Coordinates of all heavy atoms in Angstrom, one line a residue:
D1205 N 93.6 106.1 97.2 CA 95.0 106.2 97.3 C 95.7 106.4 96.0 O 95.5 105.6 95.1 CB 95.5 104.9 98.0 CG 97.0 105.1 98.6 OD1 97.7 105.8 97.9 OD2 97.2 104.6 99.7
E1206 N 96.4 107.4 95.9 CA 97.1 107.8 94.6 C 98.2 106.8 94.3 O 98.8 106.8 93.2 CB 97.6 109.2 94.6 CG 96.5 110.3 94.6 CD 95.6 110.1 93.3 OE1 96.1 109.8 92.3 OE2 94.4 110.2 93.5
R1207 N 98.7 106.0 95.2 CA 99.7 105.1 95.0 C 99.3 103.9 94.2 O 100.2 103.0 93.9 CB 100.4 104.7 96.3 CG 101.1 105.8 97.1 CD 101.5 105.3 98.5 NE 100.4 104.9 99.2 CZ 100.5 104.3 100.4 NH1 101.7 104.1 100.9 NH2 99.4 103.9 101.1
L1208 N 98.0 103.7 94.0 CA 97.5 102.5 93.3 C 97.7 102.8 91.7 O 96.8 103.3 91.1 CB 96.1 102.3 93.7 CG 95.4 101.0 93.1 CD1 96.2 99.8 93.6 CD2 94.0 100.9 93.6
K1209 N 98.8 102.5 91.2 CA 99.2 102.8 89.8 C 99.7 101.6 89.1 O 99.5 101.5 87.8 CB 100.2 103.9 89.8 CG 99.7 105.2 90.5 CD 100.9 106.2 90.4 CE 100.4 107.6 91.0 NZ 101.5 108.6 91.0
K1210 N 100.3 100.7 89.7 CA 101.0 99.6 89.0 C 100.4 98.3 89.4 O 100.8 97.7 90.4 CB 102.5 99.7 89.3 CG 103.4 98.8 88.4 CD 104.8 99.0 88.8 CE 105.7 98.1 87.9 NZ 107.1 98.1 88.3
I1211 N 99.5 97.8 88.6 CA 98.8 96.5 88.9 C 99.4 95.4 88.1 O 99.6 95.5 86.9 CB 97.3 96.7 88.6 CG1 96.7 98.0 89.1 CG2 96.5 95.5 89.0 CD1 96.8 98.0 90.6
P1212 N 99.7 94.3 88.7 CA 100.1 93.1 88.0 C 99.1 92.6 87.0 O 97.9 92.6 87.2 CB 100.5 92.1 89.0 CG 99.8 92.5 90.2 CD 99.6 94.0 90.1
D1213 N 99.6 92.2 85.8 CA 98.8 91.7 84.7 C 98.0 90.5 85.0 O 96.9 90.3 84.5 CB 99.7 91.5 83.5 CG 98.9 91.2 82.3 OD1 97.9 91.9 82.1 OD2 99.2 90.3 81.6
D1214 N 98.5 89.6 85.9 CA 97.9 88.4 86.1 C 97.3 88.3 87.6 O 97.1 87.2 88.1 CB 98.8 87.2 85.9 CG 100.1 87.2 86.8 OD1 100.3 88.3 87.4 OD2 100.8 86.2 86.8
L1215 N 97.1 89.4 88.2 CA 96.6 89.4 89.6 C 95.2 88.7 89.6 O 94.3 89.0 88.8 CB 96.5 90.8 90.1 CG 96.0 91.0 91.5 CD1 97.0 90.3 92.5 CD2 95.7 92.5 91.9
D1216 N 95.0 87.8 90.6 CA 93.7 87.1 90.7 C 92.7 88.1 91.4 O 92.9 88.6 92.4 CB 93.9 85.9 91.6 CG 92.6 85.0 91.7 OD1 91.6 85.4 91.3 OD2 92.8 83.8 92.0
L1217 N 91.6 88.3 90.6 CA 90.6 89.4 91.1 C 89.5 88.7 92.1 O 88.7 89.5 92.4 CB 90.0 90.0 89.9 CG 90.9 90.7 89.0 CD1 90.2 91.4 87.8 CD2 91.7 91.9 89.7
K1218 N 89.6 87.5 92.3 CA 88.5 86.9 93.1 C 88.3 87.5 94.4 O 87.2 87.8 94.8 CB 88.8 85.4 93.3 CG 87.7 84.6 94.0 CD 88.0 83.2 94.0 CE 86.9 82.5 94.9 NZ 85.5 82.6 94.4
P1219 N 89.4 87.9 95.2 CA 89.2 88.5 96.4 C 88.3 89.8 96.3 O 87.4 90.1 97.2 CB 90.6 88.9 97.0 CG 91.4 87.8 96.3 CD 90.8 87.6 94.9
Y1220 N 88.6 90.6 95.3 CA 87.8 91.9 95.1 C 86.4 91.6 94.6 O 85.5 92.3 95.0 CB 88.6 92.8 94.2 CG 90.1 92.8 94.4 CD1 91.0 92.2 93.6 CD2 90.7 93.3 95.6 CE1 92.4 92.2 93.8 CE2 92.0 93.2 95.9 CZ 92.8 92.7 95.0 OH 94.2 92.6 95.3
R1221 N 86.3 90.6 93.8 CA 85.0 90.3 93.4 C 84.1 89.7 94.5 O 83.0 90.1 94.7 CB 85.1 89.2 92.2 CG 83.7 88.7 91.7 CD 83.9 87.5 90.9 NE 84.3 86.3 91.7 CZ 84.8 85.2 91.2 NH1 84.9 85.0 90.0 NH2 85.1 84.2 92.1
D1222 N 84.6 88.7 95.3 CA 83.8 88.1 96.3 C 83.6 89.1 97.4 O 82.6 89.0 98.2 CB 84.6 86.9 96.9 CG 84.5 85.7 95.9 OD1 83.8 85.9 94.9 OD2 85.0 84.7 96.3
Y1223 N 84.4 90.1 97.6 CA 84.3 91.1 98.6 C 83.3 92.3 98.1 O 83.0 93.2 98.8 CB 85.6 91.7 99.0 CG 85.6 92.4 100.3 CD1 85.4 91.7 101.5 CD2 85.8 93.8 100.4 CE1 85.4 92.4 102.7 CE2 85.8 94.5 101.6 CZ 85.6 93.7 102.8 OH 85.6 94.4 104.0
H1224 N 82.9 92.1 96.8 CA 82.0 93.1 96.2 C 82.6 94.5 96.3 O 81.9 95.5 96.6 CB 80.6 93.1 96.9 CG 79.9 91.8 96.7 ND1 79.4 91.4 95.5 CD2 79.7 90.8 97.6 CE1 78.8 90.2 95.6 NE2 79.0 89.8 96.9
D1225 N 83.8 94.6 95.9 CA 84.6 95.9 96.0 C 84.5 96.6 94.6 O 85.5 96.6 93.9 CB 86.0 95.7 96.5 CG 86.5 96.9 97.2 OD1 85.9 98.0 97.0 OD2 87.4 96.8 98.0
Y1226 N 83.4 97.0 94.2 CA 83.1 97.6 92.9 C 84.1 98.8 92.7 O 84.7 99.0 91.7 CB 81.7 98.0 92.7 CG 81.4 98.7 91.4 CD1 81.3 98.0 90.2 CD2 81.0 100.0 91.5 CE1 81.1 98.7 89.1 CE2 80.7 100.7 90.3 CZ 80.7 100.0 89.1 OH 80.4 100.7 88.0
D1227 N 84.1 99.7 93.7 CA 84.9 100.9 93.6 C 86.3 100.7 93.4 O 87.1 101.3 92.6 CB 84.6 101.9 94.7 CG 83.2 102.4 94.8 OD1 82.6 102.5 93.7 OD2 82.7 102.8 95.8
L1228 N 86.8 99.7 94.1 CA 88.3 99.3 94.0 C 88.6 98.8 92.6 O 89.6 99.1 92.0 CB 88.6 98.4 95.0 CG 90.1 98.0 95.0 CD1 91.0 99.1 95.1 CD2 90.4 97.0 96.2
L1229 N 87.7 98.0 92.0 CA 87.9 97.4 90.7 C 87.9 98.5 89.7 O 88.7 98.5 88.7 CB 86.8 96.4 90.3 CG 87.0 95.0 91.1 CD1 85.8 94.2 90.8 CD2 88.2 94.3 90.6
Q1230 N 87.0 99.5 89.9 CA 87.0 100.7 89.0 C 88.4 101.4 89.0 O 88.9 101.9 88.0 CB 86.0 101.7 89.4 CG 84.5 101.2 89.0 CD 83.5 102.3 89.2 OE1 83.4 102.8 90.3 NE2 82.7 102.7 88.3
R1231 N 88.9 101.6 90.2 CA 90.1 102.3 90.4 C 91.3 101.5 89.8 O 92.2 102.1 89.1 CB 90.4 102.4 91.9 CG 91.8 103.0 92.2 CD 91.7 104.4 92.9 NE 92.9 105.0 93.1 CZ 93.3 106.2 92.7 NH1 92.5 106.9 91.9 NH2 94.5 106.6 92.9
M1232 N 91.3 100.1 89.9 CA 92.3 99.3 89.2 C 92.2 99.5 87.7 O 93.2 99.5 87.1 CB 92.1 97.9 89.6 CG 92.4 97.7 91.1 SD 91.8 96.1 91.8 CE 92.9 95.0 90.9
D1233 N 91.0 99.6 87.2 CA 90.8 99.7 85.8 C 91.4 101.1 85.3 O 92.1 101.1 84.3 CB 89.4 99.6 85.4 CG 89.1 99.7 83.9 OD1 89.6 98.8 83.2 OD2 88.4 100.6 83.5
R1234 N 91.1 102.1 86.0 CA 91.7 103.5 85.7 C 93.2 103.4 85.7 O 93.9 104.1 84.9 CB 91.1 104.5 86.6 CG 89.7 104.8 86.4 CD 89.3 106.1 87.1 NE 89.4 106.1 88.5 CZ 88.4 105.7 89.3 NH1 87.2 105.3 88.7 NH2 88.5 105.7 90.6
A1235 N 93.8 102.7 86.7 CA 95.3 102.6 86.8 C 95.8 102.0 85.6 O 96.9 102.4 85.1 CB 95.7 101.8 88.1
L1236 N 95.1 101.0 85.0 CA 95.6 100.3 83.8 C 95.5 101.2 82.5 O 96.2 100.9 81.6 CB 94.8 99.0 83.6 CG 95.1 97.9 84.6 CD1 94.2 96.7 84.4 CD2 96.6 97.4 84.5
T1237 N 94.6 102.1 82.6 CA 94.4 103.0 81.4 C 95.3 104.2 81.3 O 95.4 104.9 80.3 CB 93.0 103.5 81.3 OG1 92.7 104.3 82.4 CG2 92.0 102.3 81.1
R1238 N 96.1 104.4 82.4 CA 96.9 105.6 82.4 C 98.0 105.4 81.4 O 98.5 104.3 81.1 CB 97.5 105.8 83.8 CG 96.5 106.3 84.9 CD 97.3 106.7 86.1 NE 96.4 107.1 87.2 CZ 96.2 106.3 88.2 NH1 96.7 105.1 88.3 NH2 95.3 106.7 89.2
S1239 N 98.5 106.5 80.8 CA 99.5 106.5 79.8 C 100.8 106.0 80.4 O 101.6 105.4 79.7 CB 99.7 107.9 79.2 OG 100.0 108.8 80.2
S1240 N 101.0 106.1 81.7 CA 102.3 105.7 82.3 C 102.3 104.2 82.5 O 103.4 103.7 82.9 CB 102.5 106.4 83.6 OG 101.4 106.1 84.5
T1241 N 101.2 103.5 82.4 CA 101.1 102.1 82.6 C 101.7 101.4 81.4 O 101.3 101.6 80.3 CB 99.7 101.6 82.8 OG1 99.2 102.3 83.9 CG2 99.7 100.1 83.1
P1242 N 102.7 100.5 81.6 CA 103.3 99.7 80.5 C 102.3 99.0 79.8 O 101.3 98.4 80.4 CB 104.3 98.8 81.2 CG 104.6 99.5 82.5 CD 103.3 100.2 82.9
R1243 N 102.4 98.8 78.5 CA 101.5 98.0 77.6 C 101.3 96.6 78.2 O 100.2 96.1 78.2 CB 102.0 98.0 76.2 CG 101.0 97.4 75.2 CD 101.6 97.4 73.8 NE 101.9 98.7 73.3 CZ 101.1 99.5 72.7 NH1 99.9 98.9 72.4 NH2 101.4 100.7 72.3
T1244 N 102.3 96.0 78.7 CA 102.3 94.7 79.2 C 101.4 94.5 80.4 O 100.9 93.5 80.8 CB 103.6 94.1 79.5 OG1 104.3 94.9 80.4 CG2 104.5 93.9 78.2
M1245 N 101.2 95.7 81.1 CA 100.4 95.6 82.3 C 98.9 95.7 82.1 O 98.1 95.6 82.9 CB 100.8 96.8 83.3 CG 102.2 96.8 83.6 SD 102.7 95.3 84.5 CE 101.7 95.4 85.8
A1246 N 98.5 95.9 80.8 CA 97.1 96.1 80.5 C 96.7 95.0 79.4 O 96.2 95.5 78.3 CB 96.9 97.5 80.1
S1247 N 96.9 93.8 79.7 CA 96.6 92.8 78.6 C 95.1 92.8 78.4 O 94.3 93.1 79.2 CB 97.1 91.4 79.1 OG 96.2 90.9 80.1
K1248 N 94.8 92.3 77.2 CA 93.3 92.3 76.8 C 92.6 91.4 77.7 O 91.4 91.7 78.1 CB 93.2 91.8 75.4 CG 91.8 91.8 74.8 CD 91.8 91.4 73.3 CE 90.4 91.5 72.8 NZ 90.4 91.1 71.4
A1249 N 93.1 90.2 78.1 CA 92.4 89.3 78.9 C 92.1 89.9 80.3 O 91.0 89.7 80.9 CB 93.2 88.0 79.0
F1250 N 93.2 90.5 80.9 CA 93.0 91.1 82.2 C 92.0 92.2 82.2 O 91.1 92.4 83.1 CB 94.3 91.6 82.7 CG 94.3 92.0 84.2 CD1 94.0 91.2 85.2 CD2 94.6 93.4 84.5 CE1 94.0 91.6 86.5 CE2 94.6 93.8 85.8 CZ 94.3 92.8 86.8
R1251 N 92.0 93.1 81.2 CA 91.1 94.2 81.1 C 89.7 93.6 80.9 O 88.7 94.2 81.5 CB 91.4 95.0 79.9 CG 92.7 95.9 80.1 CD 92.5 96.9 81.2 NE 91.4 97.8 81.0 CZ 91.4 98.8 80.1 NH1 92.5 99.1 79.5 NH2 90.3 99.5 80.1

């Protein structure tokens, strides 16, 4: 889904980890690296 662009910086990732959703985590990571993503949305700890 192309609408997956703006991810909260402190979102708990346990649901995606326990669900073994590797591809979705990859997509979330790509969303954070886009130039349009605010710097605050891609904190070092979250990344």
Side-chain angles (χ1 to χ4, degrees):
D1205 198 320
E1206 290 302 321
R1207 294 173 299 171
L1208 189 59
K1209 297 178 179 178
K1210 190 179 180 184
I1211 310 297
D1213 186 44
D1214 61 346
L1215 182 65
D1216 191 340
L1217 299 178
K1218 183 175 175 62
Y1220 318 111
R1221 179 194 67 193
D1222 286 1
Y1223 199 67
H1224 296 288
D1225 209 337
Y1226 175 71
D1227 290 335
L1228 181 54
L1229 286 171
Q1230 283 186 309
R1231 175 114 181 124
M1232 292 166 69
D1233 183 60
R1234 288 196 295 271
L1236 288 173
T1237 60
R1238 291 194 182 101
S1239 58
S1240 59
T1241 302
R1243 185 181 299 271
T1244 56
M1245 300 304 297
S1247 74
K1248 184 177 180 180
F1250 187 61
R1251 290 295 306 280

